Structures are given as C-alpha cells and as structure tokens.
Amino acid sequence: VALGAIATSVSSLLLTNRSTLERGAGVLVIAFGIIMIGMSFTNRGIFGFFSRERRIDVRPSKLGNWSAPLMGIAFGFGWSPCIGTILTGVLAVASLEESVTRGMLLLFVFSMGMGLAFIGSALGVDRELTGAKRIGRWLRPINVTAGILMTGFGLLLVTGNVFRLAVFFQRIFQAIPVLERLAQI
C-alpha cells in the first residue's frame, strides 16, 4: 500500500524519464535472462557466483516473540523477486490513478490477494511438495525457456517495442469471446 502511495506521488517523474528507465530495465532483464540460461548448464564463473546459495541461519526458537514478524520480513524479502513483475504492473497502474487513495486501494487489493494465495498454499502444502518433486526433471528446460523469454522481453524494453507486444495480446483477447473483457483493462 505504501508503494502505491509512493508510485502515485512520483508518477510524473517516472513518466518524464520513461524511455531511459525502460532501456535500463531492459538491459537488466536481458542480463538476468542470460544468467538464468547459463546457470541451467554450469555453475562455474559468474554463473557459480549467482547460483551459490547464501543463507543466514536464524533459529526461530531463539527469537522468542519476535520470531513470527522477523521470519515474515525475511520471507517477504525472499519472495520480492518472484512477485516483481505483477507488482510492477500494479504499481504502474497505481501511478496513473487520479488520487493517491485510489492507488493505495489497488495495492491493498493486490496485497489481500497475495495473502489469500499464501493461506491457500499453507493449507495444501503436502500436495505442493509432491508436485514439486515431479517437476524436478523438467527444471532445466523450464529455466532455459524462462531465460529465453526474459531475454526476449528485455530486448522489447530496450527497443521500445513493449507496446507492440501489448497490442498483439490485446488483439488475441479481443478475438476470443471469453477473454474479450480483458482487452479493455
């Protein structure tokens, strides 16, 4: 919600520097895509640096009453990259809202949706772990495909052609009656 308030407040600054920010983000996304592909095949050199796991060993029992909030904060930091693309879209929409209150409302609804998803996941954790084991053999092709898609999207950002991709999907949504309403969003 705080991010929504900030995004709405600084939207003019973001819009003024939009093309520079898009190109910079594109270069970063391309780099991450290439790293993701490389990490699928080797853990040497720069790929080894990025694939190395770094953890701080924190035992909740030693934290007492602070264990739940601190573990939640740590979990939030760990999941931030995973929700980044969706959150970026929500922040972009929030920055274009007429008021800070409307932007905050969008982020509140997003936050509630995330919370409900985590509650649902907690209720079905046993089933999820079984599914994760089955998908393990497909991890390399999934990571390579994701890296290629990230690199491609980064190229669209660098060249300023993300709009063309949006128009492409809008036409697809308009052609499928069930998805037609999504094209209006």
Side-chain angles (χ1 to χ4, degrees), residues 41-75:
F41 295 101
T42 184
N43 61 358
R44 295 176 186 225
I46 187 112
F47 303 117
F49 173 78
F50 284 111
S51 62
R52 194 172 320 127
E53 194 170 312
R54 293 159 186 86
R55 290 186 186 193
I56 299 171
D57 188 30
V58 178
R59 303 207 185 263
S61 60
K62 291 184 177 182
L63 298 173
N65 291 337
W66 288 96
S67 65
L70 291 176
M71 296 304 270
I73 290 168
F75 186 77

Side-chain angles (χ1 to χ4, degrees), residues 11-149:
S11 64
S12 63
L13 177 67
L14 295 174
L15 289 173
T16 303
N17 299 306
R18 181 179 174 178
S19 64
T20 305
L21 291 171
E22 277 184 0
R23 285 191 177 99
V27 169
L28 193 61
V29 170
I30 289 169
F32 284 146
I34 291 169
I35 290 169
M36 190 173 204
I37 294 167
M39 285 172 47
S40 298
F41 295 101
T42 184
N43 61 358
R44 295 176 186 225
I46 187 112
F47 303 117
F49 173 78
F50 284 111
S51 62
R52 194 172 320 127
E53 194 170 312
R54 293 159 186 86
R55 290 186 186 193
I56 299 171
D57 188 30
V58 178
R59 303 207 185 263
S61 60
K62 291 184 177 182
L63 298 173
N65 291 337
W66 288 96
S67 65
L70 291 176
M71 296 304 270
I73 290 168
F75 186 77
F77 279 119
W79 272 78
S80 294
C82 300
I83 63 168
T85 53
I86 303 299
L87 182 58
T88 300
V90 174
L91 286 171
V93 172
S95 71
L96 299 174
E97 288 297 327
E98 300 166 1
S99 69
V100 172
T101 305
R102 285 184 56 106
M104 290 172 64
L105 178 63
L106 281 173
L107 267 293
F108 175 75
V109 171
F110 171 76
S111 300
M112 297 311 305
M114 287 291 298
L116 292 175
F118 282 119
I119 290 170
S121 294
L123 294 174
V125 74
D126 288 337
R127 249 186 262 157
E128 287 181 25
L129 291 174
T130 304
K133 289 177 186 174
R134 278 188 264 153
I135 206 167
R137 67 185 178 131
W138 296 99
L139 199 53
R140 180 179 287 178
I142 289 170
N143 283 338
V144 170
T145 303
I148 291 169
L149 290 172

